[in-house]
Amino acid sequence: MTCWDVLGLSPNADSRTIKRQYATLLKKTRPDDDPEGFQRLREAYEHALNWQQWAQEDDSAELAVATVPTALAAQTLQEHYTLAMAAGAGLEFEVTLLERCLWDEELNEEDRRWAFDTFQWLSAWQRLELPQALIEALAEQRRQAFQHTLSLAMAERDEAAFLAAYAARVDQPWLQQPAHAQWLHHMLATLLTESQFWSPAVFEAVRTGQGWQGSDHACPADEWQHLIRRQQGPVFMAHQYALAATAPNTPQQRAARLLLAPMSLGQRRAFAQRLSEHDWEACRTLAATLKADHPDIAQAMPGGTPYFWQDWETAFNTLPLLLAIVLGCLVGALFQSPWQAGALVDTAGDALAWSMAYMAVGALAWQVWRPLAHWLRVLDERLGATLPRWMSPTRLPLLPVRDLIPGAAMGIAISAQFGPVAGLTLVAVLAAVGAGKLRAGMSVKEWAAHFPRRALGAIGLGALVVALVFAGFKHLDSRHQVGRHQGLQQWTERVCSRMPQTAEDCQAPATHAQWYGQEAEQ
């Protein structure tokens, strides 16, 4: 579609007619309602005015326009150009054809190729008289078309299609010009850097074709370093997977295991509880590399990001141990104390107070013990591998130094205070929690979909259980309490036992003087 088709005018319209028609169409095509239509109308208006200016400078332009057929054909295009040259309107013919290459979507590819080959557009041999605006628009159009073909192949992960489209660049000599060649370098570097699909064959073909060899080449420095890392990615990832499969003796090995080992989300979280600050720093480094250089692997991780572990870095997941301490102290105190005689609430209160004390002392001791456990991590892992598998919650081996020794110390302390039943309860609660984690293992999708709802449900259920238990304790304890009118009442029993039941002085409750008698007057 030409500018005359957009305006609805013939090529011989004068400038006044063009302006009037533009004003009429502008009322129907508002920038706010149809920005693309307005842009198309504006460009057609400017091209028409430029053409009218050229027509006024050379009256033979009308002949040139007439020589350009409405439907170009390969066998007649050369003949029309010959007629235009004979009439002295070669420039006007070329400009009109250039406009049609820009605006006419029905123009076939053979005609476009003939025009490029004949007039050598976008090369050093094109006419200097051509309008600069049209040349820039043509360059942008050809660049976008070439880039779209390559981008589509990368988006579809079609290695063969990309290589074929890239090889076809030799059929477009304009890409060899310095300005366009520089654009091609930047476009290819950006495309390969930002694409999630990576093919070593594609990179090698582009590097060879663009001459990206040695230390001095046209590829931008930042993108080049990134491309080299991505090209070396298979070797890097093989090394990381090897680290993830070995014993986690170094921060790099532990970071690789957390991010890349074949573990469930629950196993990863349990493993993350054992990491130190140096380990988290290694995780940050590896995650940044995966996100920048290996987007496919990063997208396949939990949540679609290599930073799925960030909330775990500051998490304090000791709820099972705290629950075990509270229940252990409570059960041990109930077995030791005569709560049936009316001291149930007092017994439970003492047990809760002691459990809080054990938690505080245990938290302080853990701050001292944790660095030592990390220092002995290698030995701890070896000892943990020798433990029976049934002792490993979430299928991760327990670490004797980090897990068993602190747990045993807490169990011994509670047993010394509240008896062996308290220690056995603590162990039973921890074992039950570990078995529950092992059985209720969920996939990443299930965890993401159900965790908030289940967490809220668990909190509400826990609050209900605590309220019911406390109400039950209060009810049992009230059965053993003494009421205000119960017990021995010395004066009333001694005097009123010989008087009628309706005597006014013997009605309950007894007064202070009746209760204490003569002692109240002293």
Side-chain angles (χ1 to χ4, degrees):
M1 180 179 293
T2 66
C3 62
W4 308 110
D5 296 330
V6 175
L7 294 173
L9 298 174
S10 61
N12 58 359
D14 56 15
S15 59
R16 185 175 182 181
T17 304
I18 294 173
K19 293 178 180 179
R20 286 181 177 178
Q21 182 69 4
Y22 173 70
T24 302
L25 295 176
L26 191 60
K27 297 178 181 179
K28 302 178 182 179
T29 307
R30 307 298 301 174
D32 298 336
D33 300 334
D34 186 6
E36 295 183 359
F38 172 76
Q39 181 66 22
R40 185 165 54 251
L41 177 61
R42 182 65 185 179
E43 292 178 354
Y45 169 69
E46 293 177 353
H47 287 316
L49 286 182
N50 291 337
W51 173 256
Q52 181 62 29
Q53 183 180 358
W54 301 328
Q56 291 176 356
E57 295 176 356
D58 191 348
D59 295 337
S60 61
E62 295 184 4
L63 177 61
V65 173
T67 61
V68 180
T70 303
L72 295 176
Q75 65 271 21
T76 61
L77 190 57
Q78 179 64 46
E79 297 176 1
H80 283 282
Y81 178 54
T82 302
L83 292 176
M85 290 293 294
L91 174 61
E92 289 74 11
F93 179 93
E94 183 176 348
V95 171
T96 303
L97 185 58
L98 176 57
E99 282 189 333
R100 299 204 62 168
C101 288
L102 285 172
W103 299 98
D104 191 353
E105 298 179 356
E106 298 180 358
L107 191 64
N108 59 54
E109 192 60 32
E110 281 190 30
D111 293 333
R112 296 177 189 274
R113 189 178 300 111
W114 181 90
F116 269 84
D117 294 341
T118 302
F119 300 112
Q120 298 183 346
W121 290 333
L122 304 181
S123 70
W125 295 273
Q126 69 180 8
R127 286 180 183 265
L128 298 178
E129 300 87 352
L130 294 177
Q132 186 63 28
L134 295 180
I135 293 299
E136 292 177 355
L138 180 64
E140 184 63 24
Q141 182 191 70
R142 305 308 295 176
R143 287 178 178 181
Q144 289 182 0
F146 185 69
Q147 181 177 354
H148 175 72
T149 304
L150 297 179
S151 301
L152 183 62
M154 293 295 286
E156 295 178 349
R157 301 174 179 267
D158 192 340
E159 179 181 293
F162 183 93
L163 294 176
Y166 178 68
R169 75 191 186 283
V170 298
D171 298 331
Q172 305 186 50
W174 61 273
L175 285 174
Q176 305 301 322
Q177 298 304 312
H180 305 306
Q182 186 65 25
W183 166 84
L184 183 61
H185 286 300
H186 284 272
M187 186 273 290
L188 289 171
T190 303
L191 179 61
L192 296 179
T193 300
E194 297 179 352
S195 175
Q196 293 188 355
F197 171 66
W198 180 261
S199 168
V202 166
F203 175 72
E204 289 298 334
V206 172
R207 180 166 67 171
T208 302
Q210 298 301 119
W212 293 348
Q213 307 288 344
S215 57
D216 186 15
H217 51 73
C219 181
D222 294 340
E223 283 81 356
W224 175 249
Q225 296 299 325
H226 185 82
L227 293 176
I228 289 298
R229 290 197 302 269
R230 295 196 72 176
Q231 181 68 357
Q232 298 172 350
V235 177
F236 173 81
M237 291 308 305
H239 177 64
Q240 293 300 319
Y241 281 118
L243 290 179
T246 58
N249 299 333
T250 64
Q252 289 71 27
Q253 290 172 325
R254 290 189 281 273
R257 171 167 292 195
L258 177 64
L259 271 68
L260 300 174
M263 297 189 295
S264 66
L265 192 67
Q267 291 172 335
R268 294 178 194 271
R269 197 179 195 286
F271 182 78
Q273 297 174 16
R274 305 174 177 181
L275 301 184
S276 64
E277 180 57 34
H278 296 291
D279 300 332
W280 290 119
E281 183 62 32
C283 289
R284 285 189 285 270
T285 301
L286 179 57
T289 302
L290 294 177
K291 183 176 181 180
D293 301 335
H294 307 277
D296 286 347
I297 297 176
Q299 191 173 11
M301 290 184 171
T305 173
Y307 292 98
F308 63 89
W309 46 266
Q310 278 191 324
D311 293 339
W312 301 345
E313 185 176 357
T314 57
F316 187 68
N317 187 23
T318 56
L319 182 60
L321 181 59
L322 299 181
L323 178 63
I325 292 175
V326 172
L327 293 180
C329 293
L330 185 59
V331 173
L334 293 178
F335 266 86
Q336 278 191 338
S337 302
W339 54 272
Q340 297 88 348
L344 180 60
V345 175
D346 293 339
T347 301
D350 292 340
L352 293 176
W354 275 104
S355 64
M356 296 299 173
Y358 280 119
M359 292 178 193
V361 174
L364 294 176
W366 177 246
Q367 298 302 320
V368 179
W369 187 257
R370 184 178 181 180
L372 177 62
H374 281 293
W375 183 59
L376 299 174
R377 181 64 182 265
V378 177
L379 175 62
D380 212 10
E381 290 282 350
R382 294 176 182 174
L383 294 176
T386 62
L387 296 177
R389 296 297 298 172
W390 58 267
M391 294 183 61
S392 303
T394 64
R395 298 178 183 176
L396 286 179
L398 288 174
L399 302 181
V401 177
R402 184 190 181 279
D403 301 325
L404 295 184
I405 292 179
M410 183 63 69
I412 293 173
I414 293 178
S415 298
Q417 179 71 25
F418 296 104
V421 176
L424 292 176
T425 302
L426 183 143
V427 174
V429 171
L430 292 178
V433 172
K437 289 182 178 180
L438 187 62
R439 174 168 294 186
M442 295 184 294
S443 66
V444 175
K445 184 177 180 180
E446 293 172 338
W447 173 84
H450 298 289
F451 177 75
R453 184 176 60 187
R454 292 188 177 184
L456 293 177
I459 293 174
L461 181 60
L464 179 61
V465 170
V466 171
L468 292 177
V469 170
F470 183 78
F473 282 174
K474 292 291 292 182
H475 175 70
L476 292 175
D477 193 57
S478 64
R479 298 174 58 186
H480 302 284
Q481 292 179 352
V482 178
R484 59 178 298 187
H485 304 310
Q486 295 176 332
L488 296 178
Q489 299 177 353
Q490 303 171 8
W491 186 88
T492 55
E493 286 194 351
R494 184 174 64 248
V495 177
C496 293
S497 62
R498 299 188 297 273
M499 297 182 68
Q501 187 176 2
T502 58
E504 182 178 354
D505 294 335
C506 295
Q507 296 298 316
T511 63
H512 187 270
Q514 290 172 336
W515 181 268
Y516 291 99
Q518 296 179 356
E519 296 176 358
E521 300 176 358
Q522 296 179 358

